Amino acid sequence: MIPNRLSSRLTLTALRWTAVSRTCPPSCLSTLSNCFLQNQTAKSKDGFHSESAVLRRILCSQSRFKLRPRETQRRSFSLSGANVVNSAPAHVQPYLRLMRLDKPIGTWLLYLPCTWSIALAAEPGCLPDVGMLALFGTGALLMRGAGCTINDMWDKDFDKQVARTACRPIASGEISRMQALVFLGGQLSLALCVLLCLNYYSIALGASSLSLVITYPLMKRITYWPQLVLGFTFNWGALLGWAAVKGSCDWSVCLPLYFSGVMWTLVYDTIYAHQDKEDDVKVGVKSTALMFQERTKLWLSGFTAAMLSGLVVAGVNAEQTLPYYAALSAVAVHLARQIYTVDINKAEDCWKQFSSNRNLGLMLFLGIVAGNLLKESKEI
C-alpha cells in the first residue's frame, strides 16, 4: 500500500508541475501516463479515488497540449474541428469533445449516405437540393454527437481502461453522467427540430432509428458483430434522404443503397476496431476485428464485393449514367488499395485508412451528381 501511495503522490506532483510549467516532453508524458494507468488499476486497493481523478484530469489536459516553436504560438484562423474546439471557452470544450467535434470523420461517415440518397432522388438533369443537404448535414452533426454521448455514458468504465479513450470527458471526470444526460437532451431536441422540417413519412422513418442509436453501444458486450449494428444505424440516411425528397421510399433503389452502406461500414469500422483490439481483449468487449483476426482482409474483400454489387443494382434501378459507374470504378480501386495496404497491427495506419473513407464517400456523391446531370442531355 505504501509504495502505491508514494507512487501516486509522486506522479500527482509531477503532473501538477507539468501543468504549470508546460515543459514536459512527450517521452516524460508517456512515462507519467504509464504510471497513471498503474495507479488507476491499484486505486481500489489504496483508496486514492480523489487523487486518481485529479491525475486523470491533469494527464488528459496535458495530452491535448502540443509544444510549438515560440514564433508560431499565435493562434491562426482555421475551420478544422480541433481548432474550433480549442478556440472555444474552456468550460465548453469538454462538451464539444464529447460530441467529437474535434474528430469530424464520424459525422462525415454518417452524413455521406444521406447525400447519396438525396442526389439519387434529384430530378433528371438537376443538382441535388442544397437546402436538403444542409438540413441533413445539421442533423448528422447533432445525431452523431448524441450517439457519441450515449456511447460514452454506457462505456465510462471501459473507456478508463483503454489508452485511446481514457481522456474522453466522461471517463476523465470532466463531465458527470448527469451533465452528459442534460447535454444529450439538448442535442436530441435540436435534432428533433431538424426532423420536423421533413414530411410526415420521413419523420416517422427518422424517429424509428432512435432505438438503434441507443442500443448500438451495448452490442460490443453481446456480439462480435457490433460493426454490423453500427452499419444499420449509420446508414439510415440512405433511406431517409430519398424519402425526404420524394415523400416515400423507392425500395428498389433505397434497399440496395442501404445494404451497400452497411457493407461499407463493416469495412471501415473493422479497420477502425483493429486500433483497440488488445485493450478490447483486456476489458472484455467484442468486435469484428477480434473475430476476423488475420483473416480480416479476406472478410473485407467480401464486404467490398457486396457493397459494389448493391451500388450497381441501385444505379441500374435509378437509371444512372456513365459518370456514376466511373465513380464506382474509382471507389472499387480505392477500397482495393485500402484493404491491400492497411497494416492491421499498426494503430496509426488503421486510423489513416479509416479516415480515407470520407474521400471515398465524396467520390461516390460526385459520381451520382454527374450521372444525374447527364440524364437530361441524353433525353435531349
PDB file of all heavy atoms in Angstrom, residues 292-322:
ATOM      1  N   PHE A 292     -12.328 -11.708 -36.792  1.00  0.00           N
ATOM      2  CA  PHE A 292     -11.665 -11.998 -38.066  1.00  0.00           C
ATOM      3  C   PHE A 292     -10.164 -12.230 -37.895  1.00  0.00           C
ATOM      4  O   PHE A 292      -9.586 -13.051 -38.605  1.00  0.00           O
ATOM      5  CB  PHE A 292     -11.883 -10.841 -39.052  1.00  0.00           C
ATOM      6  CG  PHE A 292     -13.324 -10.575 -39.381  1.00  0.00           C
ATOM      7  CD1 PHE A 292     -13.707  -9.321 -39.861  1.00  0.00           C
ATOM      8  CD2 PHE A 292     -14.296 -11.540 -39.223  1.00  0.00           C
ATOM      9  CE1 PHE A 292     -15.020  -9.055 -40.181  1.00  0.00           C
ATOM     10  CE2 PHE A 292     -15.630 -11.287 -39.532  1.00  0.00           C
ATOM     11  CZ  PHE A 292     -15.988 -10.026 -40.015  1.00  0.00           C
ATOM     12  N   GLN A 293      -9.540 -11.454 -37.020  1.00  0.00           N
ATOM     13  CA  GLN A 293      -8.103 -11.528 -36.761  1.00  0.00           C
ATOM     14  C   GLN A 293      -7.302 -11.487 -38.078  1.00  0.00           C
ATOM     15  O   GLN A 293      -7.435 -10.555 -38.856  1.00  0.00           O
ATOM     16  CB  GLN A 293      -7.794 -12.756 -35.916  1.00  0.00           C
ATOM     17  CG  GLN A 293      -8.429 -12.695 -34.536  1.00  0.00           C
ATOM     18  CD  GLN A 293      -8.040 -13.841 -33.648  1.00  0.00           C
ATOM     19  OE1 GLN A 293      -7.086 -14.567 -33.892  1.00  0.00           O
ATOM     20  NE2 GLN A 293      -8.787 -14.025 -32.564  1.00  0.00           N
ATOM     21  N   GLU A 294      -6.486 -12.494 -38.333  1.00  0.00           N
ATOM     22  CA  GLU A 294      -5.630 -12.463 -39.521  1.00  0.00           C
ATOM     23  C   GLU A 294      -6.396 -12.713 -40.818  1.00  0.00           C
ATOM     24  O   GLU A 294      -5.848 -12.570 -41.909  1.00  0.00           O
ATOM     25  CB  GLU A 294      -4.501 -13.497 -39.382  1.00  0.00           C
ATOM     26  CG  GLU A 294      -3.541 -13.205 -38.239  1.00  0.00           C
ATOM     27  CD  GLU A 294      -2.951 -11.800 -38.322  1.00  0.00           C
ATOM     28  OE1 GLU A 294      -2.547 -11.403 -39.441  1.00  0.00           O
ATOM     29  OE2 GLU A 294      -2.884 -11.115 -37.287  1.00  0.00           O
ATOM     30  N   ARG A 295      -7.660 -13.080 -40.717  1.00  0.00           N
ATOM     31  CA  ARG A 295      -8.484 -13.260 -41.927  1.00  0.00           C
ATOM     32  C   ARG A 295      -9.230 -11.979 -42.284  1.00  0.00           C
ATOM     33  O   ARG A 295     -10.112 -11.995 -43.156  1.00  0.00           O
ATOM     34  CB  ARG A 295      -9.487 -14.393 -41.703  1.00  0.00           C
ATOM     35  CG  ARG A 295      -8.860 -15.769 -41.491  1.00  0.00           C
ATOM     36  CD  ARG A 295      -9.921 -16.782 -41.144  1.00  0.00           C
ATOM     37  NE  ARG A 295     -10.583 -16.446 -39.886  1.00  0.00           N
ATOM     38  CZ  ARG A 295     -11.803 -16.841 -39.529  1.00  0.00           C
ATOM     39  NH1 ARG A 295     -12.501 -17.592 -40.359  1.00  0.00           N
ATOM     40  NH2 ARG A 295     -12.322 -16.498 -38.374  1.00  0.00           N
ATOM     41  N   THR A 296      -8.887 -10.880 -41.622  1.00  0.00           N
ATOM     42  CA  THR A 296      -9.610  -9.627 -41.797  1.00  0.00           C
ATOM     43  C   THR A 296      -9.686  -9.199 -43.258  1.00  0.00           C
ATOM     44  O   THR A 296     -10.761  -8.834 -43.759  1.00  0.00           O
ATOM     45  CB  THR A 296      -8.952  -8.511 -40.963  1.00  0.00           C
ATOM     46  OG1 THR A 296      -9.186  -8.770 -39.573  1.00  0.00           O
ATOM     47  CG2 THR A 296      -9.520  -7.148 -41.316  1.00  0.00           C
ATOM     48  N   LYS A 297      -8.567  -9.235 -43.965  1.00  0.00           N
ATOM     49  CA  LYS A 297      -8.551  -8.736 -45.344  1.00  0.00           C
ATOM     50  C   LYS A 297      -9.441  -9.564 -46.262  1.00  0.00           C
ATOM     51  O   LYS A 297     -10.044  -9.037 -47.206  1.00  0.00           O
ATOM     52  CB  LYS A 297      -7.116  -8.673 -45.866  1.00  0.00           C
ATOM     53  CG  LYS A 297      -6.267  -7.631 -45.134  1.00  0.00           C
ATOM     54  CD  LYS A 297      -4.939  -7.388 -45.817  1.00  0.00           C
ATOM     55  CE  LYS A 297      -4.180  -6.284 -45.095  1.00  0.00           C
ATOM     56  NZ  LYS A 297      -2.923  -5.908 -45.786  1.00  0.00           N
ATOM     57  N   LEU A 298      -9.538 -10.865 -46.001  1.00  0.00           N
ATOM     58  CA  LEU A 298     -10.422 -11.725 -46.795  1.00  0.00           C
ATOM     59  C   LEU A 298     -11.879 -11.316 -46.573  1.00  0.00           C
ATOM     60  O   LEU A 298     -12.654 -11.182 -47.531  1.00  0.00           O
ATOM     61  CB  LEU A 298     -10.208 -13.185 -46.411  1.00  0.00           C
ATOM     62  CG  LEU A 298     -11.059 -14.226 -47.158  1.00  0.00           C
ATOM     63  CD1 LEU A 298     -10.759 -14.182 -48.657  1.00  0.00           C
ATOM     64  CD2 LEU A 298     -10.807 -15.623 -46.600  1.00  0.00           C
ATOM     65  N   TRP A 299     -12.258 -11.098 -45.300  1.00  0.00           N
ATOM     66  CA  TRP A 299     -13.614 -10.659 -44.987  1.00  0.00           C
ATOM     67  C   TRP A 299     -13.906  -9.289 -45.596  1.00  0.00           C
ATOM     68  O   TRP A 299     -14.991  -9.063 -46.164  1.00  0.00           O
ATOM     69  CB  TRP A 299     -13.809 -10.610 -43.477  1.00  0.00           C
ATOM     70  CG  TRP A 299     -14.111 -11.932 -42.850  1.00  0.00           C
ATOM     71  CD1 TRP A 299     -13.216 -12.827 -42.342  1.00  0.00           C
ATOM     72  CD2 TRP A 299     -15.400 -12.521 -42.675  1.00  0.00           C
ATOM     73  NE1 TRP A 299     -13.866 -13.932 -41.850  1.00  0.00           N
ATOM     74  CE2 TRP A 299     -15.212 -13.776 -42.033  1.00  0.00           C
ATOM     75  CE3 TRP A 299     -16.700 -12.126 -42.973  1.00  0.00           C
ATOM     76  CZ2 TRP A 299     -16.272 -14.621 -41.701  1.00  0.00           C
ATOM     77  CZ3 TRP A 299     -17.763 -12.966 -42.642  1.00  0.00           C
ATOM     78  CH2 TRP A 299     -17.536 -14.206 -42.027  1.00  0.00           C
ATOM     79  N   LEU A 300     -12.959  -8.377 -45.489  1.00  0.00           N
ATOM     80  CA  LEU A 300     -13.172  -7.031 -46.027  1.00  0.00           C
ATOM     81  C   LEU A 300     -13.335  -7.066 -47.538  1.00  0.00           C
ATOM     82  O   LEU A 300     -14.121  -6.288 -48.103  1.00  0.00           O
ATOM     83  CB  LEU A 300     -12.000  -6.117 -45.651  1.00  0.00           C
ATOM     84  CG  LEU A 300     -11.781  -5.846 -44.155  1.00  0.00           C
ATOM     85  CD1 LEU A 300     -10.690  -4.790 -43.967  1.00  0.00           C
ATOM     86  CD2 LEU A 300     -13.062  -5.417 -43.465  1.00  0.00           C
ATOM     87  N   SER A 301     -12.633  -7.953 -48.198  1.00  0.00           N
ATOM     88  CA  SER A 301     -12.784  -8.094 -49.649  1.00  0.00           C
ATOM     89  C   SER A 301     -14.203  -8.557 -49.995  1.00  0.00           C
ATOM     90  O   SER A 301     -14.805  -8.087 -50.968  1.00  0.00           O
ATOM     91  CB  SER A 301     -11.759  -9.093 -50.191  1.00  0.00           C
ATOM     92  OG  SER A 301     -10.445  -8.643 -49.942  1.00  0.00           O
ATOM     93  N   GLY A 302     -14.733  -9.480 -49.195  1.00  0.00           N
ATOM     94  CA  GLY A 302     -16.105  -9.934 -49.409  1.00  0.00           C
ATOM     95  C   GLY A 302     -17.117  -8.819 -49.198  1.00  0.00           C
ATOM     96  O   GLY A 302     -18.071  -8.663 -49.981  1.00  0.00           O
ATOM     97  N   PHE A 303     -16.931  -8.024 -48.148  1.00  0.00           N
ATOM     98  CA  PHE A 303     -17.831  -6.885 -47.892  1.00  0.00           C
ATOM     99  C   PHE A 303     -17.757  -5.874 -49.030  1.00  0.00           C
ATOM    100  O   PHE A 303     -18.774  -5.287 -49.423  1.00  0.00           O
ATOM    101  CB  PHE A 303     -17.478  -6.207 -46.568  1.00  0.00           C
ATOM    102  CG  PHE A 303     -17.653  -7.072 -45.355  1.00  0.00           C
ATOM    103  CD1 PHE A 303     -16.786  -6.960 -44.261  1.00  0.00           C
ATOM    104  CD2 PHE A 303     -18.670  -8.010 -45.282  1.00  0.00           C
ATOM    105  CE1 PHE A 303     -16.943  -7.748 -43.148  1.00  0.00           C
ATOM    106  CE2 PHE A 303     -18.838  -8.817 -44.158  1.00  0.00           C
ATOM    107  CZ  PHE A 303     -17.969  -8.682 -43.086  1.00  0.00           C
ATOM    108  N   THR A 304     -16.556  -5.673 -49.560  1.00  0.00           N
ATOM    109  CA  THR A 304     -16.384  -4.728 -50.662  1.00  0.00           C
ATOM    110  C   THR A 304     -17.134  -5.195 -51.907  1.00  0.00           C
ATOM    111  O   THR A 304     -17.816  -4.402 -52.575  1.00  0.00           O
ATOM    112  CB  THR A 304     -14.888  -4.559 -50.987  1.00  0.00           C
ATOM    113  OG1 THR A 304     -14.230  -3.964 -49.864  1.00  0.00           O
ATOM    114  CG2 THR A 304     -14.691  -3.679 -52.214  1.00  0.00           C
ATOM    115  N   ALA A 305     -17.024  -6.475 -52.221  1.00  0.00           N
ATOM    116  CA  ALA A 305     -17.734  -7.023 -53.382  1.00  0.00           C
ATOM    117  C   ALA A 305     -19.244  -6.866 -53.214  1.00  0.00           C
ATOM    118  O   ALA A 305     -19.958  -6.496 -54.162  1.00  0.00           O
ATOM    119  CB  ALA A 305     -17.364  -8.495 -53.569  1.00  0.00           C
ATOM    120  N   ALA A 306     -19.738  -7.124 -52.000  1.00  0.00           N
ATOM    121  CA  ALA A 306     -21.170  -6.974 -51.731  1.00  0.00           C
ATOM    122  C   ALA A 306     -21.596  -5.514 -51.845  1.00  0.00           C
ATOM    123  O   ALA A 306     -22.664  -5.203 -52.398  1.00  0.00           O
ATOM    124  CB  ALA A 306     -21.487  -7.519 -50.340  1.00  0.00           C
ATOM    125  N   MET A 307     -20.764  -4.597 -51.332  1.00  0.00           N
ATOM    126  CA  MET A 307     -21.078  -3.165 -51.413  1.00  0.00           C
ATOM    127  C   MET A 307     -21.189  -2.715 -52.867  1.00  0.00           C
ATOM    128  O   MET A 307     -22.160  -2.039 -53.250  1.00  0.00           O
ATOM    129  CB  MET A 307     -19.986  -2.362 -50.695  1.00  0.00           C
ATOM    130  CG  MET A 307     -20.112  -0.863 -50.853  1.00  0.00           C
ATOM    131  SD  MET A 307     -18.635   0.015 -50.274  1.00  0.00           S
ATOM    132  CE  MET A 307     -19.037   1.691 -50.731  1.00  0.00           C
ATOM    133  N   LEU A 308     -20.213  -3.082 -53.676  1.00  0.00           N
ATOM    134  CA  LEU A 308     -20.209  -2.657 -55.075  1.00  0.00           C
ATOM    135  C   LEU A 308     -21.390  -3.260 -55.839  1.00  0.00           C
ATOM    136  O   LEU A 308     -21.999  -2.589 -56.690  1.00  0.00           O
ATOM    137  CB  LEU A 308     -18.888  -3.052 -55.729  1.00  0.00           C
ATOM    138  CG  LEU A 308     -17.647  -2.323 -55.174  1.00  0.00           C
ATOM    139  CD1 LEU A 308     -16.372  -2.940 -55.749  1.00  0.00           C
ATOM    140  CD2 LEU A 308     -17.702  -0.829 -55.481  1.00  0.00           C
ATOM    141  N   SER A 309     -21.740  -4.495 -55.524  1.00  0.00           N
ATOM    142  CA  SER A 309     -22.901  -5.130 -56.179  1.00  0.00           C
ATOM    143  C   SER A 309     -24.181  -4.364 -55.859  1.00  0.00           C
ATOM    144  O   SER A 309     -25.009  -4.108 -56.743  1.00  0.00           O
ATOM    145  CB  SER A 309     -23.030  -6.581 -55.724  1.00  0.00           C
ATOM    146  OG  SER A 309     -21.888  -7.324 -56.095  1.00  0.00           O
ATOM    147  N   GLY A 310     -24.339  -3.992 -54.592  1.00  0.00           N
ATOM    148  CA  GLY A 310     -25.515  -3.224 -54.201  1.00  0.00           C
ATOM    149  C   GLY A 310     -25.580  -1.869 -54.890  1.00  0.00           C
ATOM    150  O   GLY A 310     -26.661  -1.412 -55.301  1.00  0.00           O
ATOM    151  N   LEU A 311     -24.431  -1.214 -55.023  1.00  0.00           N
ATOM    152  CA  LEU A 311     -24.403   0.092 -55.685  1.00  0.00           C
ATOM    153  C   LEU A 311     -24.723  -0.026 -57.174  1.00  0.00           C
ATOM    154  O   LEU A 311     -25.349   0.875 -57.758  1.00  0.00           O
ATOM    155  CB  LEU A 311     -23.033   0.744 -55.487  1.00  0.00           C
ATOM    156  CG  LEU A 311     -22.737   1.237 -54.063  1.00  0.00           C
ATOM    157  CD1 LEU A 311     -21.299   1.724 -53.949  1.00  0.00           C
ATOM    158  CD2 LEU A 311     -23.707   2.359 -53.659  1.00  0.00           C
ATOM    159  N   VAL A 312     -24.305  -1.120 -57.801  1.00  0.00           N
ATOM    160  CA  VAL A 312     -24.658  -1.345 -59.208  1.00  0.00           C
ATOM    161  C   VAL A 312     -26.172  -1.501 -59.347  1.00  0.00           C
ATOM    162  O   VAL A 312     -26.798  -0.901 -60.236  1.00  0.00           O
ATOM    163  CB  VAL A 312     -23.921  -2.581 -59.769  1.00  0.00           C
ATOM    164  CG1 VAL A 312     -24.491  -2.968 -61.128  1.00  0.00           C
ATOM    165  CG2 VAL A 312     -22.426  -2.293 -59.899  1.00  0.00           C
ATOM    166  N   VAL A 313     -26.775  -2.307 -58.474  1.00  0.00           N
ATOM    167  CA  VAL A 313     -28.228  -2.510 -58.517  1.00  0.00           C
ATOM    168  C   VAL A 313     -28.961  -1.195 -58.296  1.00  0.00           C
ATOM    169  O   VAL A 313     -29.922  -0.860 -59.018  1.00  0.00           O
ATOM    170  CB  VAL A 313     -28.657  -3.560 -57.473  1.00  0.00           C
ATOM    171  CG1 VAL A 313     -30.178  -3.637 -57.390  1.00  0.00           C
ATOM    172  CG2 VAL A 313     -28.064  -4.927 -57.803  1.00  0.00           C
ATOM    173  N   ALA A 314     -28.519  -0.419 -57.296  1.00  0.00           N
ATOM    174  CA  ALA A 314     -29.154   0.873 -57.023  1.00  0.00           C
ATOM    175  C   ALA A 314     -29.031   1.797 -58.230  1.00  0.00           C
ATOM    176  O   ALA A 314     -29.983   2.504 -58.598  1.00  0.00           O
ATOM    177  CB  ALA A 314     -28.523   1.523 -55.788  1.00  0.00           C
ATOM    178  N   GLY A 315     -27.855   1.807 -58.871  1.00  0.00           N
ATOM    179  CA  GLY A 315     -27.654   2.658 -60.033  1.00  0.00           C
ATOM    180  C   GLY A 315     -28.522   2.265 -61.210  1.00  0.00           C
ATOM    181  O   GLY A 315     -29.099   3.120 -61.896  1.00  0.00           O
ATOM    182  N   VAL A 316     -28.644   0.965 -61.469  1.00  0.00           N
ATOM    183  CA  VAL A 316     -29.489   0.489 -62.570  1.00  0.00           C
ATOM    184  C   VAL A 316     -30.943   0.867 -62.319  1.00  0.00           C
ATOM    185  O   VAL A 316     -31.639   1.372 -63.215  1.00  0.00           O
ATOM    186  CB  VAL A 316     -29.338  -1.036 -62.740  1.00  0.00           C
ATOM    187  CG1 VAL A 316     -30.402  -1.572 -63.699  1.00  0.00           C
ATOM    188  CG2 VAL A 316     -27.939  -1.378 -63.243  1.00  0.00           C
ATOM    189  N   ASN A 317     -31.418   0.645 -61.102  1.00  0.00           N
ATOM    190  CA  ASN A 317     -32.817   0.946 -60.788  1.00  0.00           C
ATOM    191  C   ASN A 317     -33.107   2.446 -60.782  1.00  0.00           C
ATOM    192  O   ASN A 317     -34.251   2.867 -60.994  1.00  0.00           O
ATOM    193  CB  ASN A 317     -33.195   0.336 -59.446  1.00  0.00           C
ATOM    194  CG  ASN A 317     -33.249  -1.180 -59.501  1.00  0.00           C
ATOM    195  OD1 ASN A 317     -33.403  -1.770 -60.570  1.00  0.00           O
ATOM    196  ND2 ASN A 317     -33.109  -1.829 -58.356  1.00  0.00           N
ATOM    197  N   ALA A 318     -32.075   3.262 -60.524  1.00  0.00           N
ATOM    198  CA  ALA A 318     -32.245   4.715 -60.558  1.00  0.00           C
ATOM    199  C   ALA A 318     -31.928   5.294 -61.930  1.00  0.00           C
ATOM    200  O   ALA A 318     -31.938   6.512 -62.103  1.00  0.00           O
ATOM    201  CB  ALA A 318     -31.342   5.361 -59.497  1.00  0.00           C
ATOM    202  N   GLU A 319     -31.640   4.406 -62.897  1.00  0.00           N
ATOM    203  CA  GLU A 319     -31.342   4.806 -64.276  1.00  0.00           C
ATOM    204  C   GLU A 319     -30.160   5.769 -64.340  1.00  0.00           C
ATOM    205  O   GLU A 319     -30.181   6.776 -65.054  1.00  0.00           O
ATOM    206  CB  GLU A 319     -32.588   5.426 -64.941  1.00  0.00           C
ATOM    207  CG  GLU A 319     -33.756   4.470 -64.986  1.00  0.00           C
ATOM    208  CD  GLU A 319     -34.985   5.084 -65.654  1.00  0.00           C
ATOM    209  OE1 GLU A 319     -34.952   6.319 -65.914  1.00  0.00           O
ATOM    210  OE2 GLU A 319     -35.952   4.355 -65.901  1.00  0.00           O
ATOM    211  N   GLN A 320     -29.119   5.428 -63.579  1.00  0.00           N
ATOM    212  CA  GLN A 320     -27.915   6.258 -63.580  1.00  0.00           C
ATOM    213  C   GLN A 320     -27.128   6.079 -64.875  1.00  0.00           C
ATOM    214  O   GLN A 320     -27.347   5.113 -65.631  1.00  0.00           O
ATOM    215  CB  GLN A 320     -27.046   5.919 -62.375  1.00  0.00           C
ATOM    216  CG  GLN A 320     -27.373   6.716 -61.126  1.00  0.00           C
ATOM    217  CD  GLN A 320     -27.022   8.183 -61.260  1.00  0.00           C
ATOM    218  OE1 GLN A 320     -26.118   8.549 -62.002  1.00  0.00           O
ATOM    219  NE2 GLN A 320     -27.742   9.037 -60.542  1.00  0.00           N
ATOM    220  N   THR A 321     -26.204   7.022 -65.130  1.00  0.00           N
ATOM    221  CA  THR A 321     -25.462   7.055 -66.391  1.00  0.00           C
ATOM    222  C   THR A 321     -23.973   6.824 -66.154  1.00  0.00           C
ATOM    223  O   THR A 321     -23.544   6.522 -65.041  1.00  0.00           O
ATOM    224  CB  THR A 321     -25.700   8.397 -67.097  1.00  0.00           C
ATOM    225  OG1 THR A 321     -25.329   9.455 -66.203  1.00  0.00           O
ATOM    226  CG2 THR A 321     -27.170   8.554 -67.467  1.00  0.00           C
ATOM    227  N   LEU A 322     -23.190   7.002 -67.217  1.00  0.00           N
ATOM    228  CA  LEU A 322     -21.781   6.634 -67.211  1.00  0.00           C
ATOM    229  C   LEU A 322     -20.966   7.229 -66.060  1.00  0.00           C
ATOM    230  O   LEU A 322     -20.160   6.511 -65.452  1.00  0.00           O
ATOM    231  CB  LEU A 322     -21.145   7.014 -68.552  1.00  0.00           C
ATOM    232  CG  LEU A 322     -19.670   6.663 -68.727  1.00  0.00           C
ATOM    233  CD1 LEU A 322     -19.457   5.155 -68.604  1.00  0.00           C
ATOM    234  CD2 LEU A 322     -19.156   7.179 -70.059  1.00  0.00           C
TER     235      LEU A 322
END
